[in-house]
Amino acid sequence: MSYKEEYRKKLRSAADAVQIIPKQSTMVIGLGMSEPPALLSAVEDRVKNKEFDKLRLYYMHPATPLQNTLLKMEYLETVELYPFYGTHKEWELLKEGLKEGVKLVNYIPANFHQIPHIMTHDLMLDTCVVTVSPMTGGGYFSTGTSSDYTIVAARNAKRLIIEVNENMPQVFGNTYIHISEVDAIVENTVELPQEPPHKEPSAIDEKIASHIIGHCKDGMTIQIGAGNVPNAVCKKLSQFNDMGIHSELLSPSMVQLIKSGNVNNRLKSIDVGKSVFTLSAGNTEMFEFIHNNPGIEGHPASYVNDPCVIGRNDRAFSLNAFVEIDLFGQVNAEFIAGHQYSTVGGQLDFIEGAQRSKEGVSILSATSTAGGGKFSRIVKSISGPATDTRNSIQYVATEYGITSLRGKSTSERARALIDLAHPDFRPELEEYARSQHYI
């Protein structure tokens, strides 16, 4: 049987394709842009019709298709949520559950590089649903924007249902699924979920970026997280040359550095000449740029986010954000108001990986206050679990400067962090530090 014949044999409507999902099911959903809207809508119809006894969902950072279908309060007696990384949608559901005294969101703590292994060794996944690019002549589909855990789950789940979308880019690297691995195919060409346009960085964001840029250099291999400060830094990186990309996220700001020639990947120690990522989010222009581009490769998080792999490139540069940091240097990047808001993602992976690199730099940044100036991000003690331990942190930046905690004593750390706090909060922090004999 030819690949085209096999394709036609497996082609279904979305409603028919999801009938192979058992009534008691553990399902994993492709991350972000690779969420399959037609399949998720068909699964929602089965939930509405009470055709599932229990549907346990594993996913990460839900995009519009998942948010608009299965992440609804009325389904959560049947649908159980197990995100590795959440958004405002889980936050809303969590608050609704608290009103009724029930727990509706079950976060799974894990560093991103561990998640593919967890998917294949610790979870019994019976179904994977994912959006892919059209089939190649050799019978392969690309998961395009998402290798992360998506490609690993697709290959290892008992059932694989794919949604072919002509707008999903075909991306080189470890992104390919063969038709022989597929149980059912649905065709649905729609626009991929788009990231909203980034806000212009504020004056404070620009000031933080100006502190950070002094630690950048030609030839570094960059990982830049999402947010206003990273976007401000990306704009300033146009003054550097011969940079490389080895990043969890590939964003439009980073693609612009490739287009402008600031990134050429020629000085990397591994994946020379390639911009390497594990997930991408952006807009149509970016998706068109990465399509069939031999200079762009997607790989699973077990490779891209492995601290040992990150450290193999010289001059690795990692920039991420934090919610709060205490006077020991412990970082909370996932709890707000006493509840889980997001999760660690790949932050600790790149903090540790960058510091394994020769001349590597790891920076965590944030504005000194939150809530319109009501709350200090430099705190006496963090309000949730430590996303990053005090032993892992190198540089910390706010609008009041940038400091390295590495090699500093506990008292030196406390003083340095107080200096990064907003002046309105410094007296209270210093008084506390003295009372606890930190200084």
Side-chain angles (χ1 to χ4, degrees):
M1 184 187 303
S2 71
Y3 296 141
K4 288 184 178 180
E5 289 172 329
E6 189 172 358
Y7 184 102
R8 287 192 292 269
K9 185 177 179 182
K10 293 180 177 180
L11 188 61
R12 306 276 191 280
S13 69
D16 286 344
V18 301
Q19 292 303 314
I20 68 173
I21 304 173
K23 289 191 173 187
Q24 293 238 19
S25 182
T26 300
M27 186 168 79
V28 62
I29 300 162
L31 195 156
M33 310 299 113
S34 67
E35 290 178 4
L39 288 171
L40 291 175
S41 180
V43 172
E44 181 185 20
D45 288 341
R46 286 195 64 189
V47 172
K48 284 179 183 176
N49 294 332
K50 302 187 182 305
E51 295 178 22
F52 289 107
D53 297 327
K54 192 66 67 177
L55 180 61
R56 180 178 285 209
L57 298 185
Y58 288 95
Y59 63 95
M60 188 171 178
H61 209 298
T64 306
L66 181 54
Q67 291 186 27
N68 289 348
T69 54
L70 299 178
L71 302 193
K72 295 178 182 177
M73 188 73 179
E74 61 264 34
Y75 299 152
L76 298 189
E77 284 189 8
T78 301
V79 179
E80 295 180 346
L81 307 182
Y82 288 84
F84 288 92
Y85 193 106
T87 62
H88 69 280
K89 188 67 176 181
E90 284 80 7
W91 181 249
E92 292 168 2
L93 293 171
L94 185 149
K95 289 191 289 186
E96 286 297 314
L98 288 174
K99 292 177 185 177
E100 300 182 15
V102 294
K103 186 174 179 63
L104 298 178
V105 181
N106 306 284
Y107 285 94
I108 304 174
N111 293 317
F112 201 177
H113 83 272
Q114 300 169 319
I115 294 176
H117 184 89
I118 292 171
M119 289 278 186
T120 54
H121 291 80
D122 300 295
L123 305 176
M124 299 296 291
L125 300 177
D126 58 55
T127 307
C128 176
V129 295
V130 60
T131 293
V132 297
S133 69
M135 187 174 70
T136 68
Y140 287 93
F141 306 89
S142 171
T143 55
T145 59
S146 300
S147 294
D148 38 75
Y149 64 74
T150 302
I151 188 67
V152 176
R155 290 173 180 156
N156 287 277
K158 292 178 182 178
R159 299 168 190 82
L160 173 58
I161 310 174
I162 62 172
E163 184 168 318
V164 176
N165 185 339
E166 292 179 8
N167 291 320
M168 174 60 78
Q170 183 182 154
V171 176
F172 294 111
N174 192 349
T175 73
Y176 289 96
I177 299 164
H178 193 259
I179 191 167
S180 60
E181 302 173 277
V182 176
D183 293 286
I185 300 168
V186 171
E187 294 179 337
N188 183 41
T189 293
V190 294
E191 188 177 83
L192 295 178
Q194 306 277 302
E195 285 289 290
H198 295 300
K199 295 179 182 177
E200 281 299 310
S202 68
I204 292 178
D205 297 328
E206 293 286 357
K207 192 169 185 180
I208 298 171
S210 69
H211 297 313
I212 292 168
I213 211 70
H215 295 270
C216 299
K217 62 182 72 173
D218 289 341
M220 62 184 184
T221 296
I222 60 174
Q223 177 267 325
I224 308 287
N228 289 342
V229 172
N231 288 332
V233 170
C234 269
K235 289 182 179 179
K236 294 180 185 296
L237 289 180
S238 60
Q239 62 190 279
F240 300 99
N241 296 303
D242 293 326
M243 291 185 293
I245 290 175
H246 183 104
S247 183
E248 173 182 316
L249 173 69
L250 184 69
S251 67
S253 297
M254 299 176 81
V255 164
Q256 185 55 47
L257 290 171
I258 303 172
K259 289 182 175 181
S260 63
N262 300 100
V263 166
N264 57 29
N265 297 291
R266 75 178 188 89
L267 297 181
K268 292 173 73 174
S269 304
I270 58 172
D271 303 311
V272 179
K274 310 290 185 181
S275 291
V276 171
F277 72 96
T278 198
L279 66 98
S280 60
N283 50 38
T284 300
E285 181 183 355
M286 190 191 85
F287 300 145
E288 290 174 351
F289 180 79
I290 67 176
H291 175 64
N292 277 338
N293 186 332
I296 309 285
E297 287 191 354
H299 290 275
S302 51
Y303 175 76
V304 176
N305 283 51
D306 184 334
C308 295
V309 174
I310 295 163
R312 289 170 63 190
N313 279 310
D314 294 345
R315 299 173 297 278
F317 175 87
S318 172
L319 175 62
N320 290 291
F322 65 91
V323 173
E324 56 185 11
I325 184 169
D326 69 18
L327 297 181
F328 283 123
Q330 298 178 115
V331 170
N332 164 27
E334 51 188 300
F335 254 60
I336 295 178
H339 295 288
Q340 193 87 39
Y341 184 76
S342 65
T343 42
V344 59
Q347 182 174 115
L348 187 57
D349 294 337
F350 277 89
I351 286 174
E352 295 187 343
Q355 292 180 77
R356 291 171 182 257
S357 165
K358 182 181 178 181
E359 300 181 53
V361 173
S362 163
I363 299 174
L364 290 178
S365 68
T367 55
S368 65
T369 62
K374 294 180 182 178
F375 308 103
S376 176
R377 293 190 187 274
I378 316 296
V379 295
K380 300 170 186 177
S381 59
I382 55 175
S383 60
T387 306
D388 314 312
T389 71
R390 62 178 182 168
N391 304 326
S392 302
I393 307 305
Q394 188 181 13
Y395 286 99
V396 180
T398 72
E399 68 269 31
Y400 293 102
I402 185 168
T403 190
S404 175
L405 300 187
R406 202 165 65 183
K408 282 186 168 65
S409 69
T410 52
S411 59
E412 289 169 333
R413 283 170 171 243
R415 289 186 183 280
L417 288 165
I418 290 169
D419 287 342
L420 295 182
H422 190 283
D424 290 351
F425 294 95
R426 289 178 192 173
E428 179 184 352
L429 290 168
E430 184 165 345
E431 181 182 353
Y432 177 80
R434 291 189 183 281
S435 72
Q436 299 299 308
H437 307 292
Y438 297 170
I439 57 177

